Amino acid sequence: MKLRNTAAAAVAAFALVLSLPASALAASGDFHYKFRDADGVEQTSTLHDPEGGTCINLDAVGSDDIEPGFAPYNQTDSWVTVYVGADCDGPEWLLRPNGRPATDRLLVRSVRFDG
């Protein structure tokens, strides 16, 4: 009888683990930002379901050697800190989950989502 109860508990625990989201540290949703390409044309880039708890240098703007991105827009379910510098350095601002688009004056090179 004890073996049957132990086996049932193990199967139930395994089923519970399989039902959990794949990544508990990922933010659900999209994070957008704008940047100007080499020709000066405004572009938009999006991070879809970005990883949480780690610093992300943004594509096309994540180096201190090039112009930063601007107008970040957090449409994820997580708070995000945006940084003016690469590697989550320099001045920072916190953007709320599912917030409004930030002004074009808010510059960004790297981000960190709460995880």
Side-chain angles (χ1 to χ4, degrees):
M1 186 67 142
K2 287 183 184 180
L3 181 59
R4 190 174 356 168
N5 289 343
T6 303
V11 169
F14 184 69
L16 179 62
V17 168
L18 290 179
S19 70
L20 293 176
S23 175
L25 293 179
S28 294
D30 294 327
F31 176 82
H32 311 277
Y33 61 97
K34 298 176 185 178
F35 66 96
R36 297 206 181 275
D37 66 16
D39 296 324
V41 177
E42 186 176 293
Q43 304 287 331
T44 300
S45 189
T46 301
L47 297 176
H48 181 69
D49 294 339
E51 184 178 350
T54 186
C55 181
I56 301 170
N57 285 326
L58 299 174
D59 289 336
V61 298
S63 168
D64 290 326
D65 299 332
I66 56 179
E67 291 296 316
F70 56 94
Y73 183 17
N74 184 20
Q75 290 186 297
T76 73
D77 61 355
S78 297
W79 288 87
V80 62
T81 305
V82 298
Y83 297 86
V84 174
D87 302 317
C88 295
D89 192 26
E92 61 188 63
W93 286 268
L94 191 62
L95 300 179
R96 72 178 59 245
N98 296 304
R100 295 181 180 191
T103 174
D104 286 358
R105 292 177 294 180
L106 182 54
L107 304 180
V108 60
R109 290 186 194 279
S110 56
V111 295
R112 184 183 318 270
F113 292 85
D114 287 350

